[in-house]
Amino acid sequence: MNINATLINYFHLCHRKLWLHANGITMEHTSDVVYEGKLIGEESYPQRAEKNQELEILAELDGGIRASAKIDFFDAQKGIVHETKKSDAKERAHVAQVKFYLFLLRKNGIPAHYGIIEYPKLRTTERVELPDDEMSEIENWIKDVSEIIHREVCPPKLSISKCRSCSYFDFCWSGEIEE
């Protein structure tokens, strides 16, 4: 079983979205919002130094669980993770995703001091730290994600107000919305 950064992000957004994605029902390829986020991530910081490269990382954890991530930019000299988000609102899931990156780097013995979430639309950044005493919290997230995706039944929907911009909106709410 592989738990990746997308699943950690979805765990903090919506357990239904997490379950659907992990069980092969992916809708991101149909979403203009997802495409816009990809463009912003690719085009917002073209001046990045060569030392800041995209990084794929993997860790083998207890219980046969593999954890993996693709980090937007990692400055190995300074031990800083950079993550770019399209959102015009800061979300707890963004912080969780960066903490997951820091966790994986440390599990691999790579010095990772902190992360920076960059919000080009907001013209702001957020510093994310992972104190050593929070490492077990990330392990618990991974276990919880594993438990959710192995459930026989899909978790329930959230309230519709939280779902409007989700790539799974039509899938979850089709036929239930009065226009």
Side-chain angles (χ1 to χ4, degrees):
M1 146 140 332
N2 184 47
I3 305 297
N4 61 35
T6 300
L7 298 178
I8 293 296
N9 185 297
Y10 290 177
F11 172 69
H12 288 87
L13 289 173
C14 173
H15 291 182
R16 181 182 184 89
K17 183 176 185 173
L18 163 64
W19 188 92
L20 290 167
H21 183 83
N23 284 281
I25 301 171
T26 58
M27 305 299 288
E28 291 82 358
H29 65 283
T30 66
S31 172
D32 290 339
V33 172
V34 172
Y35 179 72
E36 180 185 358
K38 183 173 168 59
L39 283 177
I40 286 173
E42 291 171 355
E43 297 176 2
S44 291
Y45 301 100
Q47 74 285 3
R48 292 251 191 236
E50 286 297 316
K51 65 182 178 184
N52 295 337
Q53 295 296 316
E54 192 172 76
L55 175 67
E56 290 188 47
I57 192 158
L58 172 71
E60 299 287 337
L61 306 173
D62 294 337
I65 296 176
R66 295 175 64 193
S68 66
K70 189 174 184 181
I71 301 170
D72 287 351
F73 297 99
F74 179 61
D75 182 337
Q77 289 180 330
K78 295 180 181 175
I80 302 172
V81 169
H82 294 267
E83 177 70 10
T84 305
K85 292 295 183 185
K86 164 211 98 61
S87 180
D88 53 6
K90 295 180 181 181
E91 295 186 27
R92 184 175 67 115
H94 301 161
V95 172
Q97 187 174 342
V98 172
K99 285 186 175 191
F100 181 70
Y101 295 156
L102 295 169
F103 170 85
L104 288 179
L105 289 163
R106 291 181 189 166
K107 281 289 191 184
N108 279 281
I110 300 169
H113 305 297
Y114 63 92
I116 297 174
I117 305 173
E118 299 159 334
Y119 295 93
K121 284 178 132 181
L122 297 173
R123 296 179 189 238
T124 189
T125 62
E126 181 172 349
R127 183 177 170 133
V128 177
E129 308 224 0
L130 180 60
D132 289 338
D133 63 342
E134 289 184 19
M135 292 285 285
S136 62
E137 181 181 0
I138 312 305
E139 290 174 350
N140 289 334
W141 294 347
I142 293 167
K143 289 175 188 170
D144 290 346
V145 167
S146 178
E147 185 272 319
I148 290 168
I149 63 179
H150 284 99
R151 288 181 186 167
E152 292 282 326
V153 178
C154 182
K157 297 178 276 200
L158 297 176
S159 67
I160 197 165
S161 64
K162 296 181 180 181
C163 300
R164 293 236 182 245
S165 63
C166 177
S167 58
Y168 289 82
F169 180 80
D170 289 337
F171 180 88
C172 293
W173 291 97
S174 179
E176 294 186 34
I177 303 169
E178 293 182 26
E179 298 293 329

